[in-house]
Amino acid sequence: MQSKTPPRNSRRNAIKALIAAGAAAIAAPYIITSRKSAPSRKMTTESADQIVIRTSGGKSHYAYTEILFEPFRKETGIKVIGIPSNVEPVAEIKTMVDTGEYKWNMACLGNRAIPVLVQQGYLEAHRLGNDDVVKTIMPHLLSDYSVGMNVYSIVLAYRTDAFKGRPPPKTWKDFWDVERFPGRRGLRQIPFDTIEEALLADGALPTEIYPCDLNRAFHSLDRIKPHISVWWQNTPHAEQLLKTGEVDLMPAFIISTLSAIDAGAPVAFSWDQHVYGYDNWTILKGTPNVDACRQFIRFATDPERQARLIPYGISPTQPSALEKDVLERNRIDPKYVKSLSTYPDNLKKGMPSSGLYWADKHSAIIERFNQWMIS
C-alpha cells in the first residue's frame, strides 16, 4: 500500500491556515505575563450551588459526568458542569484570574501546565494534603495545588485493516519508517510528546530524552513531516480519525484508542515506548465556590469512585483502587485493568514525560514548533 500524501503546496497552505487559526490555543497559552489585580471575583453564570470544571473532552468527559459529576450532585446538591476545551488552557485560566471573570471554577490539567500556573500564582492551594482520602494517592501525583486523577499515555495506534497480512508498527522508529510501514499517518499538532517521539524514533534512549536535544528532534521531524496526512490537536479528533480510517497509524491518547476499539473500529496499538503523564484536579485562584471545589476533589479522589472509572481507560491514582476487593465490589472486569497505563506490564514499557522540563522551555519550543510547521 502506498503512502497517500497530499501535494506539498496544498499541505503547506492547509498547515498555515491551521496555525493562523490555532496560534492562540497553542502558543499564546504559554506566554509569561504579569499578574494584574482583579477588580472582582464572579462566575459568568454564578450560582452558590454549582461548580464548572474544564475537561479535555472525549470519552473521559462522559466518564466524569456519569461517574463523578452526577453522583456528586445527587449526594451534595451541588451541580457540576463539565466544559471541554482544547489542549492545556493556560491562557484562558490567566485571563479568568486576571479579570475576575470565571467561566470555570476548576480545571483538569496535565502535569506540564501546572508548574507554569503555580509559578505565577494562578492556582488556588487545595489544602487537602492531610485529608484522609486525598493523602493516600501516589505521593508524586500530589502537590499543594494539584491532585492527580488519571495517569494517561500516548501510544502508537494503527488500523488493523491497513496492516492485514503484514507486521504492524510497534515503536516510534517503525512509525518513522515509511518504507517498511507505508500508510497514511497522523501526528499531533503540538510539540508535547511529539518531540519525545521524534527523539525515540531517532534512536535516543528513554533516559536520554531530557533535556531534549531540539536540533536532533527537529531533524527527525523533518524526515517524517512530508508523510503526515493529518495533524490533530485534541482527544475527540484523534478518536474520530481512528474510527473513520482517515489515517492508518498515529500516536493517540490511550483513552481515544480504547474508545475507538470499543466502538467496533479495527484498531490496535502498541505499549512499546508509550509516553505517559498525568491529569490533575486544580482550582483556579480566587474562584467563587472554592469550598465546593475542595469538596468535589475529595469526592472524586475516593478509591471506590476511581475504580469505577477503570472501564473507561482512566488509570487510578489511588493504589487501593486496584485491590481485588475494591474491583470485585464495583464489579470491574479484570480485563480492564490490563488496559491501564499503570498496569505493571504496561508501565515498564513506557517513558514518563517531564512537566518541569516543559515548564522551563515551553514558550521557546512552541514558537519554534509553530515556525517549523509552516516552513
Side-chain angles (χ1 to χ4, degrees):
M1 179 174 61
Q2 297 298 315
S3 178
K4 300 177 182 178
T5 304
R8 184 170 178 79
N9 288 340
S10 63
R11 185 175 67 252
R12 179 179 295 178
N13 291 338
I15 291 173
K16 286 182 178 179
L18 282 171
I19 290 294
I26 299 177
Y30 295 90
I31 295 174
I32 305 299
T33 57
S34 59
R35 287 283 308 280
K36 299 177 181 179
S37 57
S40 62
R41 304 291 173 184
K42 63 182 180 179
M43 294 294 295
T44 304
T45 308
E46 188 169 2
S47 170
D49 298 320
Q50 172 179 297
I51 55 176
V52 182
I53 303 177
R54 177 267 174 190
T55 76
S56 56
K59 188 175 182 179
S60 63
H61 178 87
Y62 297 105
Y64 297 143
T65 300
E66 180 179 345
I67 305 299
L68 301 178
F69 299 168
E70 282 302 308
F72 181 74
R73 178 188 63 79
K74 291 178 181 178
E75 182 170 308
T76 67
I78 300 171
K79 184 178 181 180
V80 180
I81 299 174
I83 298 181
S85 79
N86 273 348
V87 202
E88 297 289 11
V90 175
E92 294 167 271
I93 290 173
K94 288 182 177 182
T95 298
M96 291 179 204
V97 175
D98 284 340
T99 62
E101 299 285 338
Y102 292 82
K103 295 180 181 178
W104 315 324
N105 302 101
M106 295 176 56
C108 170
L109 296 175
N111 58 302
R112 296 186 184 95
I114 289 169
V116 179
L117 291 167
V118 169
Q119 287 170 6
Q120 299 170 50
Y122 285 93
L123 294 181
E124 188 81 31
H126 55 70
R127 300 178 184 174
L128 295 170
N130 293 321
D131 180 86
D132 288 342
V133 174
V134 175
K135 70 181 182 181
T136 58
I137 73 169
M138 301 175 193
H140 59 287
L141 304 183
L142 177 64
S143 78
D144 291 340
Y145 298 89
S146 59
V147 177
M149 36 73 70
N150 172 38
V151 180
Y152 64 85
S153 292
I154 288 280
V155 298
L156 174 49
Y158 58 89
R159 295 273 302 194
T160 56
D161 51 354
F163 290 93
K164 189 174 182 179
R166 60 194 179 100
K170 296 293 185 182
T171 67
W172 300 118
K173 185 176 180 180
D174 293 345
F175 183 86
W176 255 247
D177 192 339
V178 297
E179 298 297 327
R180 291 182 58 227
F181 302 94
R184 297 163 298 174
R185 284 161 160 76
L187 199 61
R188 196 178 182 194
Q189 192 193 322
I190 194 168
F192 303 153
D193 304 313
T194 307
I195 292 293
E196 288 92 333
E197 293 157 12
L199 290 170
L200 291 167
D202 199 52
L205 297 175
T207 54
E208 300 172 339
I209 298 300
Y210 301 111
C212 295
D213 183 336
L214 294 177
N215 289 334
R216 182 180 181 182
F218 278 98
H219 179 72
S220 179
L221 286 168
D222 285 339
R223 291 191 286 112
I224 198 62
K225 185 179 183 181
H227 305 282
I228 301 301
S229 301
V230 182
W231 297 88
W232 63 272
Q233 286 193 36
N234 58 42
T235 302
H237 188 199
E239 181 179 328
Q240 185 67 14
L241 291 173
L242 291 172
K243 287 180 177 178
T244 60
E246 294 177 63
V247 297
D248 300 317
L249 62 166
M250 62 183 289
F253 290 111
I254 184 61
I255 196 168
S256 302
T257 307
L258 293 173
S259 183
I261 294 172
D262 289 344
V267 172
F269 62 95
S270 170
W271 281 111
D272 292 350
Q273 298 182 328
H274 68 97
V275 181
Y276 62 88
Y278 53 96
D279 288 325
N280 304 262
W281 300 120
T282 64
I283 304 171
L284 275 60
K285 182 70 175 181
T287 188
N289 301 344
V290 66
D291 289 337
C293 295
R294 294 185 175 115
Q295 190 175 353
F296 172 79
I297 291 175
R298 190 179 187 281
F299 179 90
T301 308
D302 179 79
E304 301 283 335
R305 297 187 181 92
Q306 286 201 353
R308 292 168 204 155
L309 291 167
I310 291 174
Y312 296 89
I314 297 172
S315 296
T317 56
Q318 288 277 18
S320 60
L322 296 173
E323 293 177 357
K324 184 178 179 180
D325 62 330
V326 175
L327 297 175
E328 290 178 348
R329 193 159 50 243
N330 290 283
R331 299 179 181 178
I332 306 301
D333 191 321
K335 71 178 183 181
Y336 293 117
V337 177
K338 295 182 179 180
S339 295
L340 298 176
S341 298
T342 50
Y343 184 68
D345 287 350
N346 302 333
L347 192 63
K348 68 184 180 182
K349 296 178 181 179
M351 186 200 79
S353 64
S354 172
L356 291 177
Y357 171 80
W358 284 100
D360 291 336
K361 308 291 184 182
H362 56 270
S363 296
I365 296 176
I366 289 172
E367 182 177 356
R368 182 172 177 177
F369 186 86
N370 286 345
Q371 289 300 316
W372 172 82
M373 283 286 292
I374 60 176
S375 63

